[in-house]
PDB file of all heavy atoms in Angstrom:
ATOM      1  N   VAL A 127     -15.150   6.070  11.436  1.00 42.00           N
ATOM      2  CA  VAL A 127     -16.305   6.747  10.857  1.00 42.00           C
ATOM      3  C   VAL A 127     -15.872   7.699   9.762  1.00 42.00           C
ATOM      4  O   VAL A 127     -16.432   7.754   8.683  1.00 42.00           O
ATOM      5  CB  VAL A 127     -17.092   7.483  11.969  1.00 42.00           C
ATOM      6  CG1 VAL A 127     -18.208   8.311  11.350  1.00 42.00           C
ATOM      7  CG2 VAL A 127     -17.644   6.496  12.980  1.00 42.00           C
ATOM      8  N   LYS A 128     -14.825   8.482  10.063  1.00 45.00           N
ATOM      9  CA  LYS A 128     -14.313   9.412   9.074  1.00 45.00           C
ATOM     10  C   LYS A 128     -13.813   8.681   7.833  1.00 45.00           C
ATOM     11  O   LYS A 128     -14.018   9.118   6.716  1.00 45.00           O
ATOM     12  CB  LYS A 128     -13.183  10.255   9.657  1.00 45.00           C
ATOM     13  CG  LYS A 128     -13.649  11.334  10.618  1.00 45.00           C
ATOM     14  CD  LYS A 128     -12.477  12.120  11.148  1.00 45.00           C
ATOM     15  CE  LYS A 128     -12.946  13.317  11.940  1.00 45.00           C
ATOM     16  NZ  LYS A 128     -13.601  14.328  11.126  1.00 45.00           N
ATOM     17  N   ALA A 129     -13.132   7.554   8.039  1.00 46.00           N
ATOM     18  CA  ALA A 129     -12.584   6.816   6.908  1.00 46.00           C
ATOM     19  C   ALA A 129     -13.673   6.349   5.969  1.00 46.00           C
ATOM     20  O   ALA A 129     -13.523   6.377   4.769  1.00 46.00           O
ATOM     21  CB  ALA A 129     -11.766   5.619   7.429  1.00 46.00           C
ATOM     22  N   ARG A 130     -14.826   5.926   6.546  1.00 45.00           N
ATOM     23  CA  ARG A 130     -15.919   5.481   5.686  1.00 45.00           C
ATOM     24  C   ARG A 130     -16.423   6.612   4.822  1.00 45.00           C
ATOM     25  O   ARG A 130     -16.680   6.452   3.628  1.00 45.00           O
ATOM     26  CB  ARG A 130     -17.047   4.896   6.536  1.00 45.00           C
ATOM     27  CG  ARG A 130     -16.741   3.522   7.105  1.00 45.00           C
ATOM     28  CD  ARG A 130     -18.000   2.845   7.585  1.00 45.00           C
ATOM     29  NE  ARG A 130     -18.554   3.495   8.784  1.00 45.00           N
ATOM     30  CZ  ARG A 130     -18.253   3.137  10.006  1.00 45.00           C
ATOM     31  NH1 ARG A 130     -17.393   2.163  10.212  1.00 45.00           N
ATOM     32  NH2 ARG A 130     -18.766   3.763  11.029  1.00 45.00           N
ATOM     33  N   ASP A 131     -16.583   7.788   5.451  1.00 45.00           N
ATOM     34  CA  ASP A 131     -17.056   8.949   4.671  1.00 45.00           C
ATOM     35  C   ASP A 131     -16.063   9.323   3.583  1.00 45.00           C
ATOM     36  O   ASP A 131     -16.438   9.625   2.465  1.00 45.00           O
ATOM     37  CB  ASP A 131     -17.286  10.139   5.607  1.00 45.00           C
ATOM     38  CG  ASP A 131     -18.413   9.866   6.606  1.00 45.00           C
ATOM     39  OD1 ASP A 131     -19.236   8.992   6.313  1.00 45.00           O
ATOM     40  OD2 ASP A 131     -18.439  10.538   7.652  1.00 45.00           O
ATOM     41  N   VAL A 132     -14.768   9.327   3.943  1.00 48.00           N
ATOM     42  CA  VAL A 132     -13.739   9.727   3.006  1.00 48.00           C
ATOM     43  C   VAL A 132     -13.669   8.735   1.838  1.00 48.00           C
ATOM     44  O   VAL A 132     -13.525   9.121   0.693  1.00 48.00           O
ATOM     45  CB  VAL A 132     -12.369   9.840   3.697  1.00 48.00           C
ATOM     46  CG1 VAL A 132     -11.252   9.996   2.667  1.00 48.00           C
ATOM     47  CG2 VAL A 132     -12.374  11.035   4.638  1.00 48.00           C
ATOM     48  N   ASN A 133     -13.820   7.437   2.152  1.00 47.00           N
ATOM     49  CA  ASN A 133     -13.750   6.430   1.094  1.00 47.00           C
ATOM     50  C   ASN A 133     -14.863   6.618   0.081  1.00 47.00           C
ATOM     51  O   ASN A 133     -14.663   6.428  -1.113  1.00 47.00           O
ATOM     52  CB  ASN A 133     -13.831   5.033   1.690  1.00 47.00           C
ATOM     53  CG  ASN A 133     -12.531   4.648   2.369  1.00 47.00           C
ATOM     54  OD1 ASN A 133     -11.491   5.198   2.075  1.00 47.00           O
ATOM     55  ND2 ASN A 133     -12.609   3.683   3.288  1.00 47.00           N
ATOM     56  N   LEU A 134     -16.057   6.997   0.568  1.00 49.00           N
ATOM     57  CA  LEU A 134     -17.143   7.241  -0.372  1.00 49.00           C
ATOM     58  C   LEU A 134     -16.802   8.399  -1.289  1.00 49.00           C
ATOM     59  O   LEU A 134     -16.947   8.328  -2.489  1.00 49.00           O
ATOM     60  CB  LEU A 134     -18.442   7.539   0.405  1.00 49.00           C
ATOM     61  CG  LEU A 134     -19.047   6.354   1.175  1.00 49.00           C
ATOM     62  CD1 LEU A 134     -20.227   6.819   2.009  1.00 49.00           C
ATOM     63  CD2 LEU A 134     -19.480   5.282   0.192  1.00 49.00           C
ATOM     64  N   SER A 135     -16.323   9.473  -0.718  1.00 57.00           N
ATOM     65  CA  SER A 135     -15.916  10.624  -1.515  1.00 57.00           C
ATOM     66  C   SER A 135     -14.778  10.271  -2.430  1.00 57.00           C
ATOM     67  O   SER A 135     -14.744  10.649  -3.591  1.00 57.00           O
ATOM     68  CB  SER A 135     -15.531  11.786  -0.569  1.00 57.00           C
ATOM     69  OG  SER A 135     -15.036  12.881  -1.312  1.00 57.00           O
ATOM     70  N   GLY A 136     -13.789   9.529  -1.904  1.00 75.00           N
ATOM     71  CA  GLY A 136     -12.643   9.136  -2.717  1.00 75.00           C
ATOM     72  C   GLY A 136     -13.058   8.230  -3.869  1.00 75.00           C
ATOM     73  O   GLY A 136     -12.525   8.365  -4.974  1.00 75.00           O
ATOM     74  N   GLN A 137     -14.017   7.356  -3.635  1.00 82.00           N
ATOM     75  CA  GLN A 137     -14.472   6.472  -4.699  1.00 82.00           C
ATOM     76  C   GLN A 137     -15.136   7.277  -5.822  1.00 82.00           C
ATOM     77  O   GLN A 137     -14.953   6.987  -7.013  1.00 82.00           O
ATOM     78  CB  GLN A 137     -15.463   5.429  -4.164  1.00 82.00           C
ATOM     79  CG  GLN A 137     -15.978   4.472  -5.231  1.00 82.00           C
ATOM     80  CD  GLN A 137     -16.805   3.368  -4.649  1.00 82.00           C
ATOM     81  OE1 GLN A 137     -16.491   2.829  -3.600  1.00 82.00           O
ATOM     82  NE2 GLN A 137     -17.879   3.013  -5.345  1.00 82.00           N
ATOM     83  N   ASP A 138     -15.912   8.311  -5.439  1.00 85.00           N
ATOM     84  CA  ASP A 138     -16.526   9.154  -6.465  1.00 85.00           C
ATOM     85  C   ASP A 138     -15.478   9.839  -7.300  1.00 85.00           C
ATOM     86  O   ASP A 138     -15.598   9.908  -8.549  1.00 85.00           O
ATOM     87  CB  ASP A 138     -17.409  10.209  -5.805  1.00 85.00           C
ATOM     88  CG  ASP A 138     -18.670   9.595  -5.179  1.00 85.00           C
ATOM     89  OD1 ASP A 138     -19.017   8.470  -5.586  1.00 85.00           O
ATOM     90  OD2 ASP A 138     -19.247  10.257  -4.314  1.00 85.00           O
ATOM     91  N   LYS A 139     -14.398  10.297  -6.662  1.00 87.00           N
ATOM     92  CA  LYS A 139     -13.329  10.963  -7.423  1.00 87.00           C
ATOM     93  C   LYS A 139     -12.604   9.981  -8.333  1.00 87.00           C
ATOM     94  O   LYS A 139     -12.271  10.299  -9.469  1.00 87.00           O
ATOM     95  CB  LYS A 139     -12.320  11.609  -6.453  1.00 87.00           C
ATOM     96  CG  LYS A 139     -12.908  12.766  -5.643  1.00 87.00           C
ATOM     97  CD  LYS A 139     -11.892  13.273  -4.622  1.00 87.00           C
ATOM     98  CE  LYS A 139     -12.500  14.409  -3.797  1.00 87.00           C
ATOM     99  NZ  LYS A 139     -11.550  14.881  -2.761  1.00 87.00           N
ATOM    100  N   ARG A 140     -12.355   8.772  -7.828  1.00 90.00           N
ATOM    101  CA  ARG A 140     -11.706   7.773  -8.653  1.00 90.00           C
ATOM    102  C   ARG A 140     -12.568   7.377  -9.837  1.00 90.00           C
ATOM    103  O   ARG A 140     -12.072   7.133 -10.950  1.00 90.00           O
ATOM    104  CB  ARG A 140     -11.347   6.541  -7.825  1.00 90.00           C
ATOM    105  CG  ARG A 140     -10.338   6.804  -6.705  1.00 90.00           C
ATOM    106  CD  ARG A 140      -9.758   5.508  -6.132  1.00 90.00           C
ATOM    107  NE  ARG A 140     -10.780   4.578  -5.684  1.00 90.00           N
ATOM    108  CZ  ARG A 140     -11.291   4.547  -4.449  1.00 90.00           C
ATOM    109  NH1 ARG A 140     -10.875   5.446  -3.560  1.00 90.00           N
ATOM    110  NH2 ARG A 140     -12.193   3.644  -4.114  1.00 90.00           N
ATOM    111  N   ALA A 141     -13.883   7.313  -9.601  1.00 91.00           N
ATOM    112  CA  ALA A 141     -14.808   6.983 -10.711  1.00 91.00           C
ATOM    113  C   ALA A 141     -14.773   8.059 -11.787  1.00 91.00           C
ATOM    114  O   ALA A 141     -14.780   7.772 -12.992  1.00 91.00           O
ATOM    115  CB  ALA A 141     -16.213   6.817 -10.166  1.00 91.00           C
ATOM    116  N   GLN A 142     -14.691   9.313 -11.379  1.00 92.00           N
ATOM    117  CA  GLN A 142     -14.604  10.406 -12.345  1.00 92.00           C
ATOM    118  C   GLN A 142     -13.330  10.281 -13.193  1.00 92.00           C
ATOM    119  O   GLN A 142     -13.357  10.448 -14.414  1.00 92.00           O
ATOM    120  CB  GLN A 142     -14.606  11.763 -11.639  1.00 92.00           C
ATOM    121  CG  GLN A 142     -15.936  12.118 -11.012  1.00 92.00           C
ATOM    122  CD  GLN A 142     -15.880  13.432 -10.234  1.00 92.00           C
ATOM    123  OE1 GLN A 142     -14.809  14.063 -10.127  1.00 92.00           O
ATOM    124  NE2 GLN A 142     -17.001  13.849  -9.696  1.00 92.00           N
ATOM    125  N   LEU A 143     -12.224   9.914 -12.542  1.00 93.00           N
ATOM    126  CA  LEU A 143     -10.980   9.732 -13.270  1.00 93.00           C
ATOM    127  C   LEU A 143     -11.092   8.538 -14.217  1.00 93.00           C
ATOM    128  O   LEU A 143     -10.581   8.577 -15.339  1.00 93.00           O
ATOM    129  CB  LEU A 143      -9.833   9.518 -12.293  1.00 93.00           C
ATOM    130  CG  LEU A 143      -8.450   9.282 -12.919  1.00 93.00           C
ATOM    131  CD1 LEU A 143      -8.035  10.430 -13.808  1.00 93.00           C
ATOM    132  CD2 LEU A 143      -7.394   9.042 -11.847  1.00 93.00           C
ATOM    133  N   TYR A 144     -11.758   7.475 -13.783  1.00 94.00           N
ATOM    134  CA  TYR A 144     -11.952   6.303 -14.631  1.00 94.00           C
ATOM    135  C   TYR A 144     -12.644   6.671 -15.940  1.00 94.00           C
ATOM    136  O   TYR A 144     -12.188   6.337 -17.039  1.00 94.00           O
ATOM    137  CB  TYR A 144     -12.742   5.223 -13.893  1.00 94.00           C
ATOM    138  CG  TYR A 144     -13.315   4.165 -14.801  1.00 94.00           C
ATOM    139  CD1 TYR A 144     -12.537   3.123 -15.282  1.00 94.00           C
ATOM    140  CD2 TYR A 144     -14.662   4.239 -15.221  1.00 94.00           C
ATOM    141  CE1 TYR A 144     -13.063   2.164 -16.148  1.00 94.00           C
ATOM    142  CE2 TYR A 144     -15.197   3.280 -16.063  1.00 94.00           C
ATOM    143  CZ  TYR A 144     -14.398   2.253 -16.517  1.00 94.00           C
ATOM    144  OH  TYR A 144     -14.919   1.322 -17.375  1.00 94.00           O
ATOM    145  N   TYR A 145     -13.777   7.366 -15.830  1.00 93.00           N
ATOM    146  CA  TYR A 145     -14.542   7.706 -17.019  1.00 93.00           C
ATOM    147  C   TYR A 145     -13.795   8.697 -17.920  1.00 93.00           C
ATOM    148  O   TYR A 145     -13.868   8.607 -19.157  1.00 93.00           O
ATOM    149  CB  TYR A 145     -15.913   8.246 -16.647  1.00 93.00           C
ATOM    150  CG  TYR A 145     -16.838   7.152 -16.134  1.00 93.00           C
ATOM    151  CD1 TYR A 145     -17.176   7.081 -14.789  1.00 93.00           C
ATOM    152  CD2 TYR A 145     -17.322   6.175 -16.992  1.00 93.00           C
ATOM    153  CE1 TYR A 145     -18.006   6.062 -14.300  1.00 93.00           C
ATOM    154  CE2 TYR A 145     -18.152   5.150 -16.530  1.00 93.00           C
ATOM    155  CZ  TYR A 145     -18.489   5.104 -15.184  1.00 93.00           C
ATOM    156  OH  TYR A 145     -19.292   4.083 -14.735  1.00 93.00           O
ATOM    157  N   ALA A 146     -13.058   9.612 -17.312  1.00 94.00           N
ATOM    158  CA  ALA A 146     -12.277  10.554 -18.101  1.00 94.00           C
ATOM    159  C   ALA A 146     -11.146   9.848 -18.845  1.00 94.00           C
ATOM    160  O   ALA A 146     -10.935  10.091 -20.041  1.00 94.00           O
ATOM    161  CB  ALA A 146     -11.703  11.665 -17.197  1.00 94.00           C
ATOM    162  N   ALA A 147     -10.422   8.968 -18.137  1.00 95.00           N
ATOM    163  CA  ALA A 147      -9.325   8.227 -18.781  1.00 95.00           C
ATOM    164  C   ALA A 147      -9.855   7.273 -19.830  1.00 95.00           C
ATOM    165  O   ALA A 147      -9.242   7.105 -20.900  1.00 95.00           O
ATOM    166  CB  ALA A 147      -8.539   7.462 -17.707  1.00 95.00           C
ATOM    167  N   LYS A 148     -10.988   6.634 -19.563  1.00 94.00           N
ATOM    168  CA  LYS A 148     -11.602   5.744 -20.550  1.00 94.00           C
ATOM    169  C   LYS A 148     -11.921   6.476 -21.832  1.00 94.00           C
ATOM    170  O   LYS A 148     -11.647   5.985 -22.959  1.00 94.00           O
ATOM    171  CB  LYS A 148     -12.880   5.146 -19.957  1.00 94.00           C
ATOM    172  CG  LYS A 148     -13.686   4.282 -20.919  1.00 94.00           C
ATOM    173  CD  LYS A 148     -14.985   3.806 -20.260  1.00 94.00           C
ATOM    174  CE  LYS A 148     -15.840   3.050 -21.251  1.00 94.00           C
ATOM    175  NZ  LYS A 148     -17.118   2.585 -20.640  1.00 94.00           N
ATOM    176  N   SER A 149     -12.478   7.673 -21.718  1.00 93.00           N
ATOM    177  CA  SER A 149     -12.801   8.468 -22.893  1.00 93.00           C
ATOM    178  C   SER A 149     -11.545   8.927 -23.616  1.00 93.00           C
ATOM    179  O   SER A 149     -11.468   8.930 -24.844  1.00 93.00           O
ATOM    180  CB  SER A 149     -13.657   9.695 -22.469  1.00 93.00           C
ATOM    181  OG  SER A 149     -13.898  10.543 -23.570  1.00 93.00           O
ATOM    182  N   LEU A 150     -10.527   9.310 -22.851  1.00 93.00           N
ATOM    183  CA  LEU A 150      -9.287   9.823 -23.425  1.00 93.00           C
ATOM    184  C   LEU A 150      -8.503   8.727 -24.142  1.00 93.00           C
ATOM    185  O   LEU A 150      -7.991   8.934 -25.259  1.00 93.00           O
ATOM    186  CB  LEU A 150      -8.422  10.444 -22.310  1.00 93.00           C
ATOM    187  CG  LEU A 150      -7.047  10.960 -22.728  1.00 93.00           C
ATOM    188  CD1 LEU A 150      -7.206  12.153 -23.655  1.00 93.00           C
ATOM    189  CD2 LEU A 150      -6.234  11.343 -21.491  1.00 93.00           C
ATOM    190  N   LEU A 151      -8.395   7.553 -23.526  1.00 94.00           N
ATOM    191  CA  LEU A 151      -7.564   6.489 -24.065  1.00 94.00           C
ATOM    192  C   LEU A 151      -8.290   5.572 -25.037  1.00 94.00           C
ATOM    193  O   LEU A 151      -7.658   4.870 -25.840  1.00 94.00           O
ATOM    194  CB  LEU A 151      -6.986   5.646 -22.927  1.00 94.00           C
ATOM    195  CG  LEU A 151      -6.137   6.375 -21.892  1.00 94.00           C
ATOM    196  CD1 LEU A 151      -5.694   5.422 -20.799  1.00 94.00           C
ATOM    197  CD2 LEU A 151      -4.924   7.013 -22.552  1.00 94.00           C
ATOM    198  N   GLY A 152      -9.632   5.518 -24.940  1.00 94.00           N
ATOM    199  CA  GLY A 152     -10.370   4.627 -25.791  1.00 94.00           C
ATOM    200  C   GLY A 152     -10.218   3.168 -25.397  1.00 94.00           C
ATOM    201  O   GLY A 152     -10.419   2.277 -26.241  1.00 94.00           O
ATOM    202  N   MET A 153      -9.866   2.902 -24.170  1.00 95.00           N
ATOM    203  CA  MET A 153      -9.704   1.520 -23.700  1.00 95.00           C
ATOM    204  C   MET A 153     -10.109   1.449 -22.241  1.00 95.00           C
ATOM    205  O   MET A 153      -9.849   2.375 -21.464  1.00 95.00           O
ATOM    206  CB  MET A 153      -8.270   1.018 -23.880  1.00 95.00           C
ATOM    207  CG  MET A 153      -8.065  -0.425 -23.453  1.00 95.00           C
ATOM    208  SD  MET A 153      -6.379  -1.019 -23.671  1.00 95.00           S
ATOM    209  CE  MET A 153      -6.358  -1.224 -25.453  1.00 95.00           C
TER     210      MET A 153
END
Side-chain angles (χ1 to χ4, degrees):
V127 174
K128 285 180 172 292
R130 286 196 290 268
D131 295 339
V132 169
N133 286 338
L134 291 174
S135 175
Q137 180 173 321
D138 290 340
K139 293 175 182 178
R140 296 195 305 271
Q142 290 176 358
L143 179 59
Y144 163 80
Y145 287 109
K148 174 183 176 182
S149 176
L150 177 66
L151 301 178
M153 182 180 286

